[in-house]
Structure formats: C-alpha cells, structure tokens
Amino acid sequence: MYVAVKGGERAIDAAHAWLAEVRRGDPSVPELSLAQIREQMAIAVHRVMTEGSLADPDLAALAVKQARGDLVEAIFLLRAYRTTLPRFGNAVPFDTGRMAVRRRVSATYKDLPGGQVLGPTFDYTHRLLDFALAAGGVDPPAAPEAPAAVEPMASVAGILDHEGLMEPERADEAGSEPFDLTREPMGFPAGRDQRLQALVRGDEGFVLALGYSTQRGFGGTHPFVGEVRMGEVPVEVEIPELGFAVEIGAVTLTECQMVNQFRGTAETGPRFTRGYGLAFGESERKAMGMALVDRALRAEELGERAIHPAQDEEFVLMHADNVEASGFVQHLKLPHYVDFQADLDLVRRLKAEWEARRATPPAEGLKEAAE
Amino acid sequence: MTVPRNDVPTGTEARRRWMGLLARGATERLESVWAALPDAPAYDRLRGPEIGLVMLRGRAGGTGARFNVGEMPVTRCTVRLADGRVGHGWIQGRDRRKAELAAAFDALLQDDEARAGLEASLLAPIAADLDGAHAAAARKAAATRVEFFTLVRGDNPK
C-alpha cells in the first residue's frame, strides 16, 4: 500500500535540472545530434523501435538521447509517445519475400537459391577493440560492390514446404482480427498472434535467455536456422477513401525462420515444425531468440509436455515486457512508509515475545507451547 | 516500380503507382517541382495534414496468420482544387509539408495533360532515385555473397 505524500516539489525540480545537466555531460564535448545517434548508434535505435513498438528511427534516436542511452527508459518514452497519436488503420501484412535483402544466411542449405549473403555483420570480426575508431576522423573506404543477382531469394521454409517436410502455416481465421496488446490486456490461453506480438515487444535479454535455456535442455526443440534475413520490406497501407493500397514507404526488418525437429503425430506424420522471429531494423539476436521461444511456446499445440519455463506462456508473456517489469520493480522506491511501519511494529512485537520466551524457564515454555 | 517511362498507365493502377512514388520521393524534390509549376493551382485543405499511426503487421512464419508487429507514424492530408478534384496524400513519417504536397500533386495528376508533364519532371526522377538507392545496396550485398569452394585432397585422382 502506498500513501499520497505531499512535498518535495523543490527537490524534484532541482533533481530534474541536474538530470538535464548530466544528460548534456561535459559542455566542452560537442552535443550529439539525433542524426548522429540514428546513423552511428543504429542498432540501439533499432532495439528501441522494436521493443518500443514504433518504427520511427528519428523518434527512437530522440528517446535514446533523452534517456542518456538507457534503452529500457528510451523504450518507455517511445511507448508513451505513441499513446498521444490516433491510429489511422492497419498496414497490409509484410510480404518478407519482397525484401530487398542485405543479409541472408541459412544453416540448413549451403547452396540455396540466392546464396549466403553475409551483409554488414559482426560475425567473423575478431572482437578486438579498434583504436583507429578511438582516434576518429578517418572515413572508412567504400564497401566493395558486385553485380547484383537477379535470382529471387526463395525462403527456406518454402523449400521444405514443397517436399511436404514442413508443417504448413495456418491461414487467417476468417473474419477475425489479430490480437492487439496495445488495445487488449494480456489474456490466457494466448493465441500465437498474441504471443508473437508480445515477443516482438519483449525484452531482448529476457527473450534471448529463454531461447538459450531451450538449447541447454529446458524445453529443447533441436533448432536449425533455416534462414535469417535482413533488409527493407515495403509498407503498403490501404487508403480508406480510395479502397486500394499504396506503397507509402519501407521499413528494415530482420526475420528468422527456425526449423525444429518433430516426431509427428498419427495424423500428420514426421515433419519439421516452425519457430518465427521478426524485429525492426538489424536485430538478429532478438529475432533468433524470439524464434526459439515462439517454438517452445507451441508445446501444447504440438502435443508436447510443457514443463520448462520457456514453454510456460503465462511465465514468458507476463514477464517479457521490460517497461512493465521495470515499472513494478522500480515502484519499490515509492514511499511505503505506512506498510513499513506496520511491518516494523509486527517485528518489534514478535522480537519482544521471543525475548520473553527465552527468559522464561523451559518447563513453563513447554506448558505454554502445549496450551 | 519499373513502369516504362513513356508508357503512362491509367486508372487505379496508375494512381496507386503515383501515390506510392509521391509518398517515397524526397520532400525537397516535391517542393522544387511544385515551386517550378508555371501555374500552381490553389487548393483547400479538407483534412490535415495530420499525424497518426498505422499498425504494421507480419505473418507467422512469414506466410501464415497475421499478427501485430508495431506501429509506424504516418501523415495524411486531403486537398481539393478549385475544379473540385480531390487529392489524398499518405506518407511514412511526420513531415506535414510533404503530405500536403503529395495530396496536391495527387489532385493534379488526375488531369491527363498535367500528368504527362509531371511524369517526366517528378515521377520518373523519383522512381530513378528509389531504383538507384536499391541498386547500390543490392550491389554491396552481392559483394558479401559467399562463394564456396571445395578443398581437393592431394590423393584424389584428377
């Protein structure tokens, strides 16, 4: 229980003034522009967009700047901002097959159509600090170019689908709209649409750790990265006045198709099962963790015993959101003076009784206990 | 969008295309072409420009049932020319001026004569900008494509 406490306005104002000052840091150091954050801290910006549920790099960069680089705080700022705007409608669902691919790798097929395209990856870097960057002032040479292939990048899931070795995806249920966590509270049992939305919004560290737990034996599904792809995907929006959809822009997405082993059932026979991850921007770790957890959460649907944390949808979905988690943990800082007074009285009384018992002779103590 | 430059399509498909190009063109290009119009028409703003959100959606597994991924800011505007033609502008992001220009051009482009000129001065250059940006990224991606080679052991017969 918390009690309204008045006072402290002056202290709060002074604290916020000091916050503004430390946010700026040493004034002899040039101030960061949003464009600098957007361009040079891009992956932090992408994470804030994904978990903040708002695809706008400039607003995410502003949130990162305002939050002094505290990404969970920045995510909170972006979530709060979106509540100030009306919703005009829904976009046509992404067709990730139309992605202008900058990266696409598969761990299941070496020579798949379109090939293995590494893109601008940290993979294979030596993870040695680069002191040339510390010195700064030198622009990197332009990245090499090669003739672009015209070969379409077929999805790996589609290849397996052709052979009947992959479970088919379910179509939309006629007449139903996907669950929307921004409009409806979390409910259980959750459909896959609700789970996927919650996982996109979910904390990268939490989702990654749960995915990792499945690899270590807590609900393992023997996953293979069928495919990870990253690039720009068109955004089409239906113009209500005109009754047709227009391609108004594009967003960068990272998509992970995880292929998992499955024994099959009497009805379906042996085939692979799917886990799916999707995130804004270059967010490969998040998309992969999400794909592992998505598959783990399908345990019941696939007739598996759900006994591990990553398979427990209430555990996963109720604790994945870092804005909620941070809010509830941090509310412990709010005044709990009355609560604590009550506890304090209780502990004092118990301690006094305990001391009184210790001071009395054992025989009488036994009798007292027997009463 | 690879519609041949001299083949101006008509009807809904044509409008879909130009509205998409207006939405994705640079504001500066829209602004400069508007400023250079010999007889830029006056218009009334019927709605907006106003900023809102659209919910972006994915499909489970890429092809399955829809789910909500997250929202994206958009700006929309509707204008009416003196002759009654109504234009709509819908753009990604929060640039009110761009949405207004897109709406005004959408109204103008419904006139066949105006469209022929704007195809050359506005739409084709936007399409070229977009194609150029895509092609540059595609060439860089192609350079990172892995060329596998198999090591041949010395004792293998040739």
Side-chain angles (χ1 to χ4, degrees):
Chain A
M1 181 176 125
Y2 2 102
V3 175
V5 180
K6 293 201 74 167
E9 290 92 341
R10 207 166 46 88
I12 290 169
D13 286 346
H16 289 172
W18 197 9
L19 172 65
E21 198 179 290
V22 295
R23 174 188 295 123
R24 174 61 183 86
D26 181 346
S28 69
V29 176
E31 186 184 347
L32 275 174
S33 71
L34 296 193
Q36 285 172 324
I37 296 170
R38 188 190 65 220
E39 297 300 315
Q40 298 173 43
M41 294 286 128
I43 292 179
V45 167
H46 298 167
R47 179 173 173 195
V48 171
M49 293 197 301
T50 299
E51 295 172 35
S53 293
L54 192 67
D56 188 315
D58 293 311
L59 290 174
L62 171 58
V64 170
K65 178 174 179 171
Q66 187 176 332
R68 305 178 66 202
D70 179 339
L71 299 189
V72 176
E73 182 74 19
I75 289 159
F76 194 171
L77 290 171
L78 215 53
R79 294 257 189 103
Y81 172 80
R82 69 153 285 282
T83 64
T84 65
L85 293 176
R87 188 180 295 174
F88 291 164
N90 301 302
V92 176
F94 292 125
D95 178 357
T96 50
R98 284 178 68 196
M99 180 183 284
V101 170
R102 299 207 291 275
R103 170 169 169 78
R104 193 281 291 270
V105 293
S106 169
T108 53
Y109 293 102
K110 179 166 69 74
D111 296 309
L112 74 173
Q116 308 270 357
V117 176
L118 301 182
T121 181
F122 287 123
D123 292 355
Y124 318 110
T125 62
H126 297 294
R127 268 75 183 209
L128 299 173
L129 280 177
D130 179 359
F131 289 97
L133 284 177
V138 182
D139 285 334
E145 298 187 0
V150 285
E151 195 179 10
M153 294 230 180
S155 97
V156 168
I159 296 170
L160 287 166
D161 224 356
H162 261 333
E163 270 194 83
L165 295 177
M166 174 62 96
E167 58 159 343
E169 272 298 347
R170 292 183 189 181
D172 284 318
E173 275 177 47
S176 77
E177 281 294 300
F179 191 95
D180 188 354
L181 278 171
T182 68
R183 300 266 167 109
E184 304 158 73
M186 194 76 81
F188 299 103
R192 196 169 174 208
D193 51 349
Q194 179 185 339
R195 297 197 303 253
L196 287 170
Q197 187 184 14
L199 289 173
V200 176
R201 292 159 66 87
D203 183 81
E204 178 175 316
F206 181 77
V207 173
L208 174 72
L210 281 173
Y212 179 43
S213 76
T214 70
Q215 289 181 283
R216 292 197 61 261
F218 291 83
T221 54
H222 206 87
F224 297 94
V225 171
E227 174 177 55
V228 170
R229 59 168 67 193
M230 180 277 289
E232 279 203 320
V233 178
V235 172
E236 282 191 40
V237 175
E238 174 131 351
I239 311 299
E241 298 80 13
L242 301 176
F244 57 78
V246 170
E247 183 180 331
I248 64 164
V251 292
T252 297
L253 297 176
T254 302
E255 179 188 52
C256 175
Q257 300 268 8
M258 206 66 87
V259 176
N260 303 268
Q261 273 189 8
F262 181 60
R263 281 196 202 87
T265 63
E267 302 99 71
T268 61
R271 62 188 185 186
F272 294 107
T273 55
R274 299 165 184 261
Y276 188 65
L278 190 70
F280 291 137
E282 296 171 67
S283 305
E284 193 162 287
R285 193 187 299 116
K286 173 63 181 285
M288 292 180 69
M290 174 175 165
L292 291 170
V293 178
D294 170 46
R295 173 60 185 81
L297 287 174
R298 299 182 58 212
E300 271 185 43
E301 171 197 341
L302 294 167
E304 298 163 345
R305 274 204 325 144
I307 50 175
H308 297 293
Q311 298 168 323
D312 181 335
E313 66 176 16
E314 189 167 343
F315 176 78
V316 173
L317 302 188
M318 290 303 284
H319 301 120
D321 192 304
N322 55 29
V323 174
E324 279 176 23
S326 175
F328 201 58
V329 169
Q330 297 213 48
H331 104 284
L332 292 172
K333 295 179 295 191
L334 293 174
H336 283 68
Y337 305 140
V338 175
D339 272 334
F340 187 68
Q341 278 302 321
D343 272 11
L344 196 60
D345 281 352
L346 181 65
V347 173
R348 277 188 185 132
R349 204 167 61 239
L350 290 172
K351 178 134 191 267
E353 286 171 12
W354 175 77
E355 277 169 350
R357 270 202 308 278
R358 284 227 310 183
T360 50
E364 220 174 301
L366 278 176
K367 189 181 162 213
E368 190 188 339
E371 278 170 0
Chain B
M1 289 281 176
T2 47
V3 176
R5 302 277 151 76
N6 297 323
D7 176 9
V8 180
T10 53
T12 299
E13 202 43 51
R15 193 165 182 197
R16 258 171 61 88
R17 169 178 169 268
W18 82 55
M19 286 182 75
L21 289 172
L22 292 170
R24 289 173 294 151
T27 310
E28 299 72 38
R29 189 178 285 286
L30 270 60
E31 193 77 78
S32 66
V33 172
W34 185 264
L37 287 177
D39 45 0
Y43 56 80
D44 290 327
R45 285 192 294 206
L46 298 182
R47 180 179 66 185
E50 58 185 355
I51 298 173
L53 301 169
V54 292
M55 177 56 93
L56 304 179
R57 287 173 161 175
R59 290 188 178 279
T63 54
R66 295 166 300 169
F67 69 97
N68 291 312
V69 180
E71 289 163 310
M72 182 185 88
V74 296
T75 309
R76 68 182 178 187
C77 185
T78 301
V79 303
R80 183 171 55 203
L81 304 186
D83 66 8
R85 270 179 288 157
V86 171
H88 299 287
W90 279 68
I91 64 154
Q92 175 178 16
R94 295 166 291 117
D95 185 341
R96 288 187 175 84
R97 176 65 184 159
K98 182 176 171 183
E100 183 175 330
L101 284 167
F105 276 120
D106 177 50
L108 265 188
L109 282 159
Q110 292 166 48
D111 175 70
D112 289 343
E113 208 173 304
R115 186 158 78 243
L118 288 171
E119 177 64 35
S121 65
L122 180 61
L123 300 180
I126 291 173
D129 287 348
L130 295 171
D131 286 350
H134 263 143
R139 286 195 303 273
K140 284 181 185 172
T144 69
R145 180 168 169 170
V146 179
E147 304 294 343
F148 288 103
F149 55 91
T150 308
L151 296 174
V152 179
R153 283 181 11 193
D155 56 357
N156 277 356
K158 272 234 159 168

